[in-house]
Every structure is written in C-alpha cells, then in structure tokens.
Amino acid sequence: MRVERPPKRRRAISLTPLVDVIFLLLLFFMLSSTFTNFGEIDIGAPAGSGGTGVSPKAILVVEGEALKLNGAPERTEKLAAGVQALRERQIDSLLVLVRGETTTQQLVTVLGILRTVPDLQVTIAR
C-alpha cells in the first residue's frame, strides 16, 4: 500500500520581519547621526603677496573652548561685545590664532560671531 503525502502548501511571505528590519534601520540611522550646528563662513583668497598687508592691531587666541582677546579671557557669548569695544577704539584688524585642540566647528563659531562686527578685517593663523 502506497501512502502519498499531501502536497505542500506554500505559505504567504510575512511582511512583519521586513517592517521590523526597516524600523531598526531607521532607529539606527537616527540615533547614530550627529545633531550639531554647522555654520558657513566665506573665505576669500589672499592677496598676491600672501596676505592683506595690514598688520593686526588686536589678537584673539582660540584654544579649544577658551578664548583670549588681547590676553584677557573672553567668553564666547560676550565675544561680539568685546570686539565691538575694540572697534569703538578704532581697531579694525584682528588676528585669530588657532591653538591646541581647537575643532573646526569652534573656529567656525568664532568666525561667525566676528562676522557680525561691521568693518572688521580678520586674519587667521595657526
């Protein structure tokens, strides 16, 4: 006596695992991305001799989060007011020295603040 198996039925593909994988990927990319503020600055080409030829009358040292304006410690929030006080004393050129572990974002933040001060020539040096 020969017994035949009943034919196998094909099960429908379940989309639940696919939705779970897509949800996990979405969570991964959302949580692994950075949410920092990026600024945009305009950088002009130097003059033919390699600089503007104007000697700076004030110095701003950027060293990580620490700022020193003409040797005095300065907070980032009060930088615009400090530089504006220099502008009122007819100081129109500023040398920004980048030191230590300063990140590009920290430099862009400082340059964004300095851009708000009218008629200020900024030179960057490392």
Side-chain angles (χ1 to χ4, degrees), residues 73-84:
E74 189 72 48
R75 292 178 51 200
T76 306
E77 301 84 30
K78 298 188 177 191
L79 180 61
V83 174
Q84 188 62 39

Side-chain angles (χ1 to χ4, degrees), residues 20-34:
D20 289 343
V21 168
I22 291 173
F23 180 69
L24 288 174
L25 286 173
L26 178 68
L27 278 177
F28 171 76
F29 286 117
M30 283 177 56
L31 296 176
S32 66
S33 63
T34 58

Side-chain angles (χ1 to χ4, degrees), residues 58-109:
I59 298 175
L60 175 67
V61 178
V62 180
E63 189 166 0
E65 293 288 330
L67 300 175
K68 288 185 181 178
L69 183 59
N70 284 342
E74 189 72 48
R75 292 178 51 200
T76 306
E77 301 84 30
K78 298 188 177 191
L79 180 61
V83 174
Q84 188 62 39
L86 292 175
R87 281 293 300 131
E88 292 170 0
R89 295 187 348 220
Q90 304 303 318
I91 296 176
D92 61 350
S93 61
L94 179 69
L95 175 64
V96 177
L97 293 175
V98 181
R99 299 282 185 244
E101 298 293 322
T102 304
T103 64
T104 305
Q105 183 60 49
Q106 291 165 337
L107 179 62
V108 168
T109 301

